[in-house]
Amino acid sequence: MTQKNDEIDKFDSMPFIALIHHISKNKLRYSQKNPNRIDMVHEGRYLMEIHKRKNLSQDDLANIFGQSKGTIAKALRKLEDKEYVERKIDENNRRKYILKTTQKGEELSILLKKDLEEWEESVGIDKLDEKTKNQLREIARKSEEILNDDY
């Protein structure tokens, strides 16, 4: 237990899920400090995913992030307006949009990835072993499965 001036460190008594939330919230706050970047709550994460995966559709993005199609559409509009992303109609399905990063979007994706890696290194996430990372991924999967099973 970490103590400062006979006080209990808040993180020692914080439930595990609250720790995860706290880490996530602080990462977003950290991202927002840089005025040359974009909203990492949604837009930045979406842009990085579009950059990483080829032939990703708008629906795929909604499924990956567990967001509504409306939320995804709004964020994509902003990314298009800023000229980071292009939406093209899928030749095989005219109701489906395929997403692609523009050159400007590619450059920003690389910067965002670098920022993420620097942050993860500065807080120690990069030191987690693969077993721990896989355990956290499995917890995330199960938490989503429970929701899908209940509804």
Side-chain angles (χ1 to χ4, degrees):
M1 188 177 299
T2 307
Q3 291 189 349
K4 295 177 185 176
N5 299 333
D6 295 326
E7 292 181 22
I8 296 175
D9 184 332
K10 68 180 176 182
F11 299 110
D12 288 339
S13 61
M14 194 178 283
F16 180 74
I17 196 66
L19 289 169
I20 298 288
H21 176 74
H22 192 80
I23 293 166
S24 177
K25 183 179 74 171
N26 285 336
K27 168 55 179 112
L28 295 174
R29 290 173 63 201
Y30 173 85
S31 297
Q32 293 166 347
K33 283 185 168 188
N34 191 332
N36 298 319
R37 302 293 195 262
I38 59 176
D39 167 26
M40 282 304 292
V41 175
H42 296 106
E43 294 171 33
R45 292 179 18 212
Y46 301 159
L47 181 64
M48 290 173 62
E49 195 68 26
I50 295 164
H51 172 76
K52 183 170 63 173
R53 299 178 190 231
K54 304 303 175 209
N55 295 320
L56 189 70
S57 75
Q58 197 168 321
D59 288 348
D60 294 335
L61 206 58
N63 289 331
I64 289 167
F65 289 102
Q67 297 289 325
S68 71
K69 292 178 185 180
T71 297
I72 295 294
K74 279 189 225 176
L76 289 174
R77 245 179 269 121
K78 289 179 185 178
L79 290 170
E80 282 181 301
D81 291 346
K82 294 173 184 173
E83 299 177 349
Y84 294 130
V85 168
E86 297 174 338
R87 279 191 274 192
K88 301 203 183 234
I89 295 176
D90 185 346
E91 295 173 4
N92 300 323
N93 181 350
R94 310 265 326 141
R95 296 183 303 167
K96 185 176 176 181
Y97 286 101
I98 300 299
L99 308 169
K100 183 178 185 298
T101 50
T102 62
Q103 182 62 39
K104 188 176 173 183
E106 295 280 321
E107 292 167 5
L108 182 58
S109 293
I110 292 166
L111 289 174
L112 292 173
K113 185 176 188 291
K114 183 176 178 269
D115 284 353
L116 178 62
E117 289 168 353
E118 287 173 1
W119 181 82
E120 287 182 353
E121 184 179 323
S122 68
V123 299
I125 289 175
D126 65 320
K127 293 185 179 37
L128 292 176
D129 60 65
E130 279 307 307
K131 181 180 178 186
T132 302
K133 290 177 184 178
N134 287 333
Q135 287 173 320
L136 290 170
R137 287 181 189 106
E138 189 58 30
I139 290 168
R141 282 185 195 96
K142 285 181 180 179
S143 69
E144 192 168 288
E145 286 172 10
I146 289 169
L147 284 174
N148 290 337
D149 290 346
D150 288 346
Y151 295 101

